[in-house]
């Protein structure tokens, strides 16, 4: 593959790019990712977490290239153009994210039942990106299949998303670097050089199992320390409720590409903050302004659940519980928020199922190893869910007392809202 230039990167040092990649990177739709932070509101707690979807996408492209070169060298891929397709798919895998990244996806799911992957397909196939790809002999549809699932060759898709993906191998060390967390060390060189293919699935050499174990534990620790941090989620809860309440006025979930491609973090926040301080959208405006000025909600209750309870609690149930707590406390219902954050403790496969096993190559033998048999990983397998109750600073004591009455010390709740899909 011929490269047209290189970019200096704090995680990978140097990221080279080809001519088609350069043109995609320079397109307005891709440049928009510079204005969408990777970790939404985490910079209010970790001040250096200002990195964006733009540099993460470059990093994912770089690692996908390393993986592709490994598979090309081992004969699993028979031509260099397949490596270029992999790199393009990784480069574009987050092109459909809206403002505040995964947080806006909660708004999309709640208001119009769509995802950033669906928006990504439309952006790749209906903008100038399709013309760029076609001009260089690449199919926009094929790139979409690799980026978002349903590829003809299954193991190729696993390089983009899943437990051995370029996505996770970039975002963990990148998020760790910019938050200052010390958990997110990933030996991605060892992992990508150890990739194999068996049964049309991505596999790993047994010698790299320790590196895989370390990465899975790092991901788990980052969820607990950063992604599910109570104050990080406080900021996100404020933005989430502000965007949902203001959607009718601002048309945030208008999924026409002209509107969607204009939605970025600061542009959306500015529109939210400009809402009148009285009237129908006063609540949405206040939440946004308090977020901007870092007057964040306070957590008065939290329960960590590692195993999934049978009782389902969807968004309506969360809202009903918040109303009961507010009524018991004698405070405005708009001042109490019940939030349920949930995640799989193992990464999801391209088919959106939890990674339960990994194919292992040990000399001439290939076998499927449950991830629970990897040392230390068994203790974190399953789900981890976090139920929290937030309120404003002035209502903190009242709500804290009422939570105990409404929820009870022994109550456990299943969480079906507030997903953070990483």
């Amino acid at each position: 593959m011929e490269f047209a230039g290189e970019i200096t990167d704090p995680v990978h040092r140097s990221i080279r790019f080809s001519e088609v990649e350069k043109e995609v990177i320079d397109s307005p739709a891709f440049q928009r990712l510079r204005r969408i932070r990777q970790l939404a509101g985490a910079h209010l707690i970790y001040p250096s977490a200002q990195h964006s979807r733009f540099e993460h996408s470059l990093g994912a492209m770089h690692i996908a290239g390393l993986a592709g070169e490994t598979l090309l060298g081992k004969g699993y891929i028979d031509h260099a153009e397949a490596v270029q397709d992999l790199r393009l798919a990784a480069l574009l895998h987050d092109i459909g994210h809206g403002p505040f990244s995964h947080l806006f996806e909660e708004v999309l799911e709640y208001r119009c039942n769509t995802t950033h992957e669906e928006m990504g397909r439309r952006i790749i196939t209906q903008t100038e990106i399709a013309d760029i790809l076609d001009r260089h002999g690449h199919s926009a549809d094929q790139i979409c299949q690799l980026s978002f699932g349903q590829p003809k060759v299954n193991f190729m898709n696993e390089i983009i998303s899943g437990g051995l993906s370029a996505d996770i191998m970039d975002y963990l060390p990148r998020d760790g670097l910019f938050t200052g967390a010390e958990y997110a060390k990933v030996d991605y060189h060892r992992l990508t050089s150890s990739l194999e293919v068996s049964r049309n699935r991505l596999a790993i050499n047994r010698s790299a199992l320790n590196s895989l174990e370390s990465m899975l534990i790092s991901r788990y620790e980052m969820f607990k320390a950063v992604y599910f941090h109570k104050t990080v989620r406080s900021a996100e809860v404020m933005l989430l409720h502000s965007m949902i309440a203001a959607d009718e006025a601002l048309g945030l979930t208008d999924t026409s590409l002209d509107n969607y491609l204009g939605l970025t973090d600061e542009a959306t926040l500015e529109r939210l903050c400009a809402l009148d301080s009285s009237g129908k959208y006063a609540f949405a405006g206040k939440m946004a302004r308090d977020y901007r000025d870092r007057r964040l909600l306070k957590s008065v209750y939290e329960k960590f659940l590692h195993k999934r309870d049978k009782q389902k609690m969807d968004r309506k149930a969360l809202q009903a519980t918040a109303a009961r707590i507010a009524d018991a406390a004698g405070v405005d219902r708009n001042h109490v928020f019940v939030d349920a954050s949930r995640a799989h403790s193992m990464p999801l496969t391209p088919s959106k199922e939890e990674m339960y096993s990994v194919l292992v190559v040990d000399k001439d033998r290939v076998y499927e190893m449950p991830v629970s048999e990897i040392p230390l990983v068994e203790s974190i397998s399953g789900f981890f869910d976090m139920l929290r109750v937030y309120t404003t600073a002035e209502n903190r004591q009242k709500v804290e007392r009422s939570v105990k009455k409404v929820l009870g010390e022994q109550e456990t709740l299943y969480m079906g809202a507030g997903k953070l899909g990483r």
Side-chain angles (χ1 to χ4, degrees):
M1 181 187 303
E2 291 188 11
F3 291 101
E6 64 181 41
I7 297 168
T8 301
D9 180 74
V11 177
H12 307 299
R13 296 189 179 180
S14 178
I15 296 175
R16 296 189 295 175
F17 53 84
S18 66
E19 186 59 39
V20 61
E21 291 161 359
K22 178 181 183 299
E23 291 188 32
V24 169
I25 291 168
D26 285 342
S27 68
F30 193 86
Q31 288 291 315
R32 165 182 169 272
L33 297 181
R34 289 183 184 273
R35 301 183 292 279
I36 297 176
R37 289 188 184 92
Q38 177 80 359
L39 297 182
H43 65 287
L44 297 178
I45 292 80
Y46 300 97
S48 294
Q50 300 281 355
H51 58 302
S52 71
R53 290 280 155 182
F54 180 85
E55 52 261 42
H56 163 60
S57 297
L58 297 178
M61 175 190 73
H62 173 73
I63 293 179
L66 296 178
E69 292 294 341
T70 293
L71 299 183
L72 179 65
K74 294 180 179 181
Y76 298 119
I77 295 176
D78 57 10
H79 55 89
E81 280 302 301
V83 178
Q84 177 65 93
D85 281 349
L86 276 175
R87 288 173 58 94
L88 287 167
L91 181 66
L92 292 166
H93 81 287
D94 274 349
I95 193 73
H97 267 297
F100 313 109
S101 294
H102 288 287
L103 185 61
F104 192 69
E105 189 150 22
E106 294 186 46
V107 181
L108 285 176
E109 290 180 357
Y110 179 66
R111 298 287 295 181
C112 54
N113 194 31
T114 192
T115 66
H116 82 271
E117 287 97 342
E118 178 56 35
M119 295 307 301
R121 289 186 185 94
R122 291 177 57 194
I123 292 169
I124 293 172
T125 58
Q126 297 176 27
T127 68
E128 66 181 295
I129 290 176
D131 297 331
I132 294 169
L133 295 174
D134 182 66
R135 191 162 59 247
H136 288 271
H138 300 277
S139 164
D141 289 333
Q142 184 175 348
I143 298 303
C144 284
Q145 288 179 345
L146 283 172
S147 291
F148 310 118
Q150 303 176 343
K152 294 180 179 178
V153 183
N154 294 335
F155 71 84
M156 296 274 281
N157 187 239
E158 293 179 73
I159 295 172
I160 310 302
S161 62
L164 291 169
S165 67
D167 180 38
I168 190 172
M169 290 186 207
D170 181 80
Y171 80 66
L172 278 178
R174 192 172 298 280
D175 293 350
L177 174 66
F178 287 104
T179 59
E182 296 293 331
Y183 315 104
K185 306 297 184 183
V186 177
D187 190 356
Y188 60 86
H189 286 290
R190 179 66 182 276
L191 287 167
T192 54
S193 65
S194 299
L195 292 177
E196 306 280 349
V197 175
S198 179
R199 307 171 195 170
N200 204 25
R201 288 172 52 193
L202 205 59
I204 192 170
N205 193 282
R206 188 177 185 279
S207 64
L209 282 177
N210 286 342
S211 296
L212 175 61
E213 174 192 65
S214 176
M215 183 174 74
L216 294 177
I217 293 172
S218 292
R219 177 183 176 275
Y220 178 80
E221 293 294 341
M222 284 293 286
F223 265 102
K224 290 205 302 180
V226 177
Y227 308 140
F228 277 7
H229 187 290
K230 67 178 182 180
T231 314
V232 170
R233 189 58 187 172
S234 169
E236 294 179 346
V237 165
M238 296 173 74
L239 272 179
L240 177 63
H241 283 84
S242 177
M243 288 191 288
I244 290 174
D247 186 32
E248 183 179 356
L250 302 182
L252 299 178
T253 55
D254 170 5
T255 57
S256 65
L257 290 186
D258 283 345
N259 180 72
Y260 196 82
L261 290 173
L263 296 176
T264 59
D265 287 9
E266 295 307 320
T268 302
L269 181 60
E270 184 177 348
R271 293 173 68 193
L272 291 169
C273 289
L275 292 168
D276 288 340
S277 57
S278 61
K280 184 176 181 180
Y281 302 105
F283 165 78
K286 184 179 188 306
M287 283 290 101
R289 289 187 290 273
D290 284 349
Y291 167 89
R292 178 195 61 192
D293 299 333
R294 206 185 181 280
R295 294 193 294 264
L296 304 181
L297 299 171
K298 304 299 181 182
S299 173
V300 298
Y301 175 93
E302 71 176 21
K303 180 182 285 290
F304 173 78
L305 299 178
H306 195 277
K307 299 297 181 183
R308 184 57 44 84
D309 193 89
K310 292 181 180 179
Q311 183 181 356
K312 181 177 180 181
M313 195 166 198
D314 58 17
R315 190 173 297 278
K316 287 185 179 180
L318 293 173
Q319 292 171 342
T321 302
R324 288 168 55 206
I325 293 170
D327 291 346
V331 303
D332 190 321
R333 289 186 175 185
N334 282 332
H335 294 167
V336 178
F337 307 84
V338 179
D339 179 64
S341 302
R342 59 169 298 194
H344 299 264
S345 60
M346 293 295 106
L348 299 184
T349 66
S351 59
K352 306 305 181 185
E353 297 177 352
E354 187 174 6
M355 175 186 170
Y356 291 109
S357 63
V358 59
L359 277 182
V360 178
V361 176
D362 184 8
K363 297 179 180 178
D364 294 329
R365 185 168 73 101
V366 180
Y367 60 96
E368 190 158 358
M369 172 184 281
V371 292
S372 60
E373 292 184 10
I374 301 175
L376 299 182
V377 173
E378 180 181 10
S379 63
I380 64 171
S381 61
F383 293 85
F384 55 96
D385 295 346
M386 187 68 73
L387 177 70
R388 291 193 178 105
V389 179
Y390 291 99
T391 190
T392 56
E394 59 269 23
N395 292 318
R396 188 171 189 169
Q397 291 185 343
K398 290 180 181 180
V399 174
E400 192 168 8
R401 288 194 295 268
S402 71
V403 165
K404 295 178 181 179
K405 295 179 184 177
V406 174
L407 296 183
E409 293 294 340
Q410 80 290 346
E411 186 174 0
T412 57
L413 298 170
Y414 177 92
M415 287 158 281
K419 295 181 286 184
L420 292 183
R422 293 187 179 277

Coordinates of all heavy atoms in Angstrom, one line a residue, residues 74-116:
K74 N 0.0 -13.8 6.8 CA -0.2 -15.2 7.1 C -1.1 -15.9 6.1 O -1.4 -17.1 6.2 CB -0.9 -15.3 8.5 CG 0.1 -14.9 9.6 CD -0.6 -15.0 11.0 CE 0.3 -14.6 12.1 NZ -0.3 -14.7 13.5
G75 N -1.5 -15.2 5.1 CA -2.3 -15.8 4.0 C -3.8 -15.9 4.2 O -4.5 -16.5 3.4
Y76 N -4.3 -15.3 5.2 CA -5.7 -15.3 5.5 C -6.4 -14.3 4.6 O -7.6 -14.4 4.3 CB -6.0 -15.0 6.9 CG -5.5 -16.0 7.9 CD1 -4.6 -15.7 8.9 CD2 -5.9 -17.4 7.8 CE1 -4.0 -16.6 9.8 CE2 -5.4 -18.3 8.7 CZ -4.4 -17.9 9.7 OH -3.9 -18.9 10.5
I77 N -5.7 -13.2 4.2 CA -6.2 -12.2 3.2 C -5.3 -12.3 2.0 O -4.1 -12.4 2.2 CB -6.1 -10.8 3.8 CG1 -7.1 -10.7 5.0 CG2 -6.4 -9.7 2.8 CD1 -7.0 -9.3 5.7
D78 N -5.9 -12.4 0.8 CA -5.0 -12.7 -0.3 C -4.6 -11.5 -1.2 O -3.9 -11.6 -2.2 CB -5.7 -13.7 -1.2 CG -7.1 -13.3 -1.7 OD1 -7.5 -12.1 -1.5 OD2 -7.9 -14.1 -2.2
H79 N -5.0 -10.3 -0.8 CA -4.6 -9.1 -1.6 C -4.6 -7.8 -0.7 O -5.4 -7.7 0.3 CB -5.4 -8.9 -2.8 CG -6.9 -8.8 -2.6 ND1 -7.5 -7.6 -2.3 CD2 -7.9 -9.7 -2.5 CE1 -8.8 -7.8 -2.1 NE2 -9.1 -9.0 -2.2
A80 N -3.7 -6.9 -1.0 CA -3.5 -5.7 -0.2 C -4.8 -4.8 -0.2 O -5.0 -4.0 0.7 CB -2.3 -4.9 -0.7
E81 N -5.6 -4.9 -1.3 CA -6.8 -4.0 -1.3 C -7.8 -4.4 -0.2 O -8.5 -3.5 0.3 CB -7.5 -4.2 -2.7 CG -6.9 -3.4 -3.8 CD -6.9 -1.9 -3.5 OE1 -8.0 -1.3 -3.3 OE2 -5.8 -1.3 -3.5
A82 N -7.7 -5.6 0.3 CA -8.6 -6.0 1.4 C -8.1 -5.3 2.7 O -8.9 -4.9 3.6 CB -8.6 -7.5 1.6
V83 N -6.8 -5.1 2.8 CA -6.3 -4.3 4.0 C -6.7 -2.9 3.9 O -7.1 -2.3 4.9 CB -4.7 -4.4 4.0 CG1 -4.2 -3.6 5.2 CG2 -4.3 -5.9 4.1
Q84 N -6.7 -2.3 2.7 CA -7.2 -0.9 2.5 C -8.7 -0.8 2.9 O -9.1 0.1 3.5 CB -7.0 -0.5 1.1 CG -7.5 0.9 0.8 CD -6.8 2.0 1.6 OE1 -5.8 2.6 1.1 NE2 -7.3 2.3 2.8
D85 N -9.5 -1.8 2.5 CA -10.9 -1.8 2.9 C -11.1 -1.8 4.4 O -11.9 -1.1 5.0 CB -11.6 -3.0 2.3 CG -12.0 -2.8 0.8 OD1 -11.9 -1.7 0.3 OD2 -12.4 -3.8 0.1
L86 N -10.2 -2.7 5.1 CA -10.3 -2.7 6.5 C -10.0 -1.4 7.1 O -10.7 -0.9 8.1 CB -9.3 -3.8 7.0 CG -9.7 -5.2 7.1 CD1 -8.6 -6.1 7.5 CD2 -10.9 -5.4 8.1
R87 N -8.9 -0.7 6.6 CA -8.5 0.6 7.2 C -9.7 1.6 7.0 O -9.9 2.4 7.9 CB -7.2 1.0 6.5 CG -6.0 0.2 7.0 CD -4.8 0.6 6.1 NE -4.5 2.1 6.2 CZ -3.7 2.6 7.1 NH1 -3.0 1.9 8.0 NH2 -3.5 3.9 7.1
L88 N -10.3 1.6 5.8 CA -11.3 2.6 5.5 C -12.6 2.3 6.4 O -13.2 3.2 6.9 CB -11.8 2.5 4.0 CG -10.8 3.1 3.0 CD1 -11.1 2.7 1.6 CD2 -10.8 4.6 3.2
A89 N -12.9 1.0 6.6 CA -14.0 0.7 7.5 C -13.8 1.1 8.9 O -14.7 1.7 9.6 CB -14.2 -0.8 7.4
A90 N -12.5 0.9 9.4 CA -12.2 1.4 10.8 C -12.2 2.9 10.8 O -12.7 3.5 11.8 CB -10.9 0.9 11.2
L91 N -11.7 3.6 9.8 CA -11.7 5.0 9.8 C -13.1 5.6 9.8 O -13.4 6.6 10.5 CB -11.0 5.5 8.5 CG -10.9 7.0 8.2 CD1 -10.0 7.6 9.2 CD2 -10.4 7.3 6.8
L92 N -14.1 4.9 9.3 CA -15.5 5.4 9.1 C -16.4 4.8 10.2 O -17.6 5.1 10.1 CB -16.0 5.2 7.7 CG -15.3 6.0 6.6 CD1 -15.6 5.5 5.3 CD2 -15.7 7.5 6.8
H93 N -15.9 4.0 11.1 CA -16.9 3.2 11.9 C -17.6 4.1 12.9 O -18.7 3.7 13.4 CB -16.1 2.1 12.7 CG -15.4 2.6 13.9 ND1 -14.2 3.4 13.9 CD2 -15.7 2.5 15.3 CE1 -13.8 3.7 15.1 NE2 -14.7 3.2 16.0
D94 N -17.1 5.3 13.2 CA -17.8 6.3 14.1 C -18.4 7.5 13.4 O -18.8 8.5 14.0 CB -16.9 6.7 15.2 CG -16.8 5.8 16.4 OD1 -17.7 4.9 16.4 OD2 -15.9 5.9 17.2
I95 N -18.4 7.5 12.0 CA -18.8 8.6 11.3 C -20.3 9.1 11.6 O -20.6 10.2 11.4 CB -18.7 8.4 9.7 CG1 -18.8 9.7 8.9 CG2 -19.7 7.3 9.3 CD1 -17.6 10.6 9.0
G96 N -21.1 8.1 12.1 CA -22.5 8.4 12.4 C -22.8 9.0 13.7 O -24.0 9.2 14.1
H97 N -21.8 9.1 14.6 CA -22.0 9.6 15.9 C -22.6 11.0 15.9 O -22.2 11.9 15.1 CB -20.8 9.6 16.8 CG -20.6 8.3 17.5 ND1 -21.5 7.9 18.5 CD2 -19.7 7.3 17.5 CE1 -21.1 6.7 19.0 NE2 -20.1 6.3 18.4
G98 N -23.5 11.3 16.8 CA -24.1 12.6 17.0 C -23.3 13.3 18.1 O -22.3 12.9 18.6
P99 N -23.8 14.5 18.5 CA -23.2 15.3 19.5 C -23.1 14.5 20.9 O -24.1 13.8 21.2 CB -24.0 16.6 19.7 CG -25.4 16.2 19.1 CD -25.1 15.2 18.0
F100 N -22.0 14.7 21.6 CA -21.8 14.0 22.8 C -21.8 12.5 22.7 O -22.1 11.7 23.6 CB -22.9 14.4 23.9 CG -23.1 15.9 23.9 CD1 -24.2 16.5 23.4 CD2 -22.1 16.7 24.4 CE1 -24.4 17.9 23.5 CE2 -22.2 18.1 24.5 CZ -23.4 18.7 24.0
S101 N -21.4 12.0 21.5 CA -21.2 10.6 21.2 C -22.3 9.7 21.7 O -23.4 9.8 21.3 CB -19.8 10.2 21.9 OG -18.8 10.9 21.2
H102 N -21.9 8.7 22.5 CA -22.9 7.7 22.9 C -24.1 8.2 23.7 O -25.2 7.7 23.7 CB -22.3 6.6 23.8 CG -21.4 5.7 23.0 ND1 -21.8 4.7 22.1 CD2 -20.0 5.6 23.0 CE1 -20.8 4.1 21.6 NE2 -19.7 4.6 22.1
L103 N -23.9 9.4 24.3 CA -25.0 10.0 25.0 C -26.2 10.4 24.0 O -27.3 10.2 24.4 CB -24.5 11.3 25.7 CG -25.5 12.0 26.6 CD1 -26.0 11.1 27.7 CD2 -24.9 13.2 27.2
F104 N -25.8 10.9 22.9 CA -26.9 11.3 21.9 C -27.6 10.1 21.4 O -28.7 10.1 21.0 CB -26.3 12.1 20.8 CG -27.3 12.8 19.9 CD1 -28.1 13.8 20.4 CD2 -27.5 12.4 18.6 CE1 -29.1 14.4 19.6 CE2 -28.5 13.0 17.8 CZ -29.3 14.0 18.3
E105 N -26.9 8.9 21.4 CA -27.5 7.7 20.9 C -28.7 7.3 21.8 O -29.7 6.8 21.4 CB -26.5 6.6 20.8 CG -27.1 5.3 20.1 CD -26.0 4.5 19.4 OE1 -24.8 4.7 19.8 OE2 -26.4 3.8 18.5
E106 N -28.5 7.6 23.1 CA -29.7 7.4 24.0 C -30.9 8.3 23.6 O -32.0 7.8 23.7 CB -29.3 7.7 25.5 CG -28.2 6.8 26.0 CD -27.9 7.1 27.5 OE1 -28.9 7.2 28.3 OE2 -26.7 7.2 27.9
V107 N -30.6 9.5 23.2 CA -31.7 10.3 22.7 C -32.3 9.8 21.4 O -33.5 9.7 21.3 CB -31.2 11.8 22.5 CG1 -32.3 12.7 22.0 CG2 -30.5 12.3 23.7
L108 N -31.4 9.3 20.5 CA -31.9 8.8 19.2 C -32.8 7.5 19.5 O -33.9 7.4 18.9 CB -30.8 8.4 18.3 CG -30.0 9.5 17.6 CD1 -28.8 8.9 16.8 CD2 -30.9 10.3 16.7
E109 N -32.3 6.7 20.4 CA -33.1 5.5 20.6 C -34.4 5.8 21.3 O -35.5 5.2 21.0 CB -32.3 4.5 21.5 CG -31.1 3.9 20.8 CD -30.3 3.0 21.7 OE1 -30.7 2.9 22.9 OE2 -29.4 2.3 21.3
Y110 N -34.4 6.8 22.2 CA -35.6 7.1 22.9 C -36.6 7.8 22.0 O -37.9 7.6 22.1 CB -35.3 8.0 24.1 CG -36.4 8.5 24.9 CD1 -37.2 7.6 25.7 CD2 -36.8 9.8 25.0 CE1 -38.2 8.0 26.5 CE2 -37.8 10.3 25.8 CZ -38.6 9.3 26.5 OH -39.6 9.8 27.3
R111 N -36.2 8.7 21.1 CA -37.1 9.5 20.4 C -37.4 9.0 19.0 O -38.6 9.2 18.5 CB -36.5 10.9 20.2 CG -36.2 11.7 21.5 CD -37.5 12.2 22.1 NE -38.1 13.2 21.2 CZ -39.3 13.9 21.5 NH1 -39.9 13.6 22.6 NH2 -39.8 14.7 20.7
C112 N -36.5 8.3 18.4 CA -36.8 7.8 17.0 C -36.3 6.4 16.7 O -36.3 6.0 15.5 CB -36.3 8.8 16.0 SG -34.6 9.3 16.1
N113 N -35.9 5.7 17.7 CA -35.5 4.3 17.5 C -34.5 4.1 16.4 O -34.6 3.2 15.5 CB -36.7 3.4 17.3 CG -36.4 1.9 17.4 OD1 -35.6 1.6 18.2 ND2 -37.1 1.1 16.7
T114 N -33.4 4.9 16.4 CA -32.4 4.7 15.4 C -31.0 4.7 16.1 O -31.0 4.9 17.3 CB -32.4 5.7 14.3 OG1 -31.5 5.3 13.2 CG2 -32.0 7.1 14.8
T115 N -29.9 4.4 15.4 CA -28.6 4.3 16.0 C -27.6 5.0 15.2 O -27.8 5.4 14.1 CB -28.2 2.8 16.1 OG1 -28.0 2.3 14.7 CG2 -29.2 1.9 16.8
H116 N -26.4 5.2 15.8 CA -25.3 5.9 15.1 C -24.8 5.0 14.0 O -24.3 5.6 13.0 CB -24.2 6.3 16.0 CG -23.2 5.2 16.4 ND1 -23.4 4.3 17.4 CD2 -22.1 4.9 15.7 CE1 -22.3 3.5 17.4 NE2 -21.5 3.8 16.4

